[in-house]
Amino acid sequence: MADQSPQSMMFPGPNTDSLPVILASASASRRRMLADAGVAMEAVRPGVDEDMVKASLRGAGASPDEVADALAELKATRVSGQRPEALVIGADQVLALEGAIYDKPTDRERARAHLTALRGRSHMLVSSAVVMRAGQRIWGHTDRATLHMRQLPDETIDRYLDAIGDRALDSVGAYQLEGLGAHLFSRVEGDFFTILGLPLLPLLGFLRQHGVVPA
């Protein structure tokens, strides 16, 4: 069960006179993307049991897009109720392979199973972002990317997992495309930020409209 106590960390930036921005996510990658884009924000863990919610949504027949959007909204809603004055960004990403939705691996064995299932095939990453203010949804966007993984020998998978260690547990596909994971793929189709877990460009467009980042 996820920790229900919100934990926060400040990420200073240049736009301190606009509406406060909170990222309702524990993802270091999403924090880094926003911080690198100059978005002044506070990162707060939303305390959502993602595995339980995903299981419930899958049981109800939700599509990958619906799962990603629902989880992003749930995270933003949890934090927005406590911080109504802020723009709260919730985000989530799911990996879909021929109708099956994958969760983050919990150990090396599962990470290896993920990569074994994905090799030689194409899978989809769906990333969603939702913005809430005072408990009301005011914006949302979902984007997809398709990744084509090489037909990897077992030795390549093991060598990759040896190289990245516990970082394999940080993403739904057990890889980071921005690093050594690039070697696993023959082709990718879609926005790079979407692959990293956040539809950043549409989100920045929304934040510009609210004066959070300069136009």
Side-chain angles (χ1 to χ4, degrees):
M1 194 74 167
D3 181 3
Q4 301 299 306
S5 302
Q7 302 176 30
S8 66
M9 182 181 302
M10 292 300 298
F11 289 81
N15 309 306
T16 55
D17 295 330
S18 58
L19 288 170
V21 176
I22 297 175
L23 174 64
S25 173
S27 167
S29 176
R30 294 187 185 109
R31 293 197 305 260
R32 186 166 55 250
M33 279 189 275
L34 286 169
D36 287 349
V39 179
M41 63 173 165
E42 179 182 356
V44 176
R45 294 177 181 270
V48 171
D49 189 336
E50 296 183 40
D51 291 341
M52 184 178 70
V53 175
K54 282 183 181 179
S56 175
L57 290 168
R58 286 197 299 258
S63 69
D65 290 39
E66 291 169 335
V67 171
D69 180 79
L71 274 164
E73 182 172 314
L74 180 60
K75 293 174 186 178
T77 300
R78 177 68 60 86
V79 175
S80 184
Q82 301 166 5
R83 299 287 299 276
E85 81 287 0
L87 293 176
V88 179
I89 303 166
D92 195 75
Q93 182 183 67
V94 300
L95 185 156
L97 175 67
E98 297 180 359
I101 295 177
Y102 283 61
D103 297 318
K104 288 181 181 178
T106 54
D107 53 34
R108 180 187 169 114
E109 181 179 352
R110 289 183 180 241
R112 192 179 192 283
H114 277 31
L115 293 172
T116 300
L118 296 175
R119 65 182 174 184
R121 305 165 79 182
S122 300
H123 65 270
M124 182 174 64
L125 289 176
V126 180
S127 293
S128 289
V130 169
V131 179
M132 308 278 290
R133 189 176 185 200
Q136 298 296 312
R137 175 171 173 150
I138 59 174
W139 182 86
H141 186 86
T142 297
D143 193 29
R144 298 181 178 191
T146 302
L147 292 82
H148 308 270
M149 189 173 284
R150 295 167 48 221
Q151 183 60 264
L152 305 169
D154 291 344
E155 312 84 74
T156 299
I157 291 176
D158 288 332
R159 188 165 59 246
Y160 175 70
L161 292 174
D162 287 341
I164 67 169
D166 288 342
R167 284 176 292 166
L169 313 183
D170 293 338
S171 67
V172 288
Y175 59 79
Q176 285 85 41
L177 189 69
E178 65 273 30
L180 292 175
H183 293 282
L184 306 180
F185 295 91
S186 60
R187 189 168 83 256
V188 297
E189 302 170 30
D191 182 81
F192 184 65
F193 298 115
T194 292
I195 294 169
L196 297 186
L198 185 69
L200 179 64
L201 300 183
L203 176 59
L204 290 176
F206 169 83
L207 294 176
R208 277 193 294 272
Q209 292 176 353
H210 285 75
V212 175
V213 292

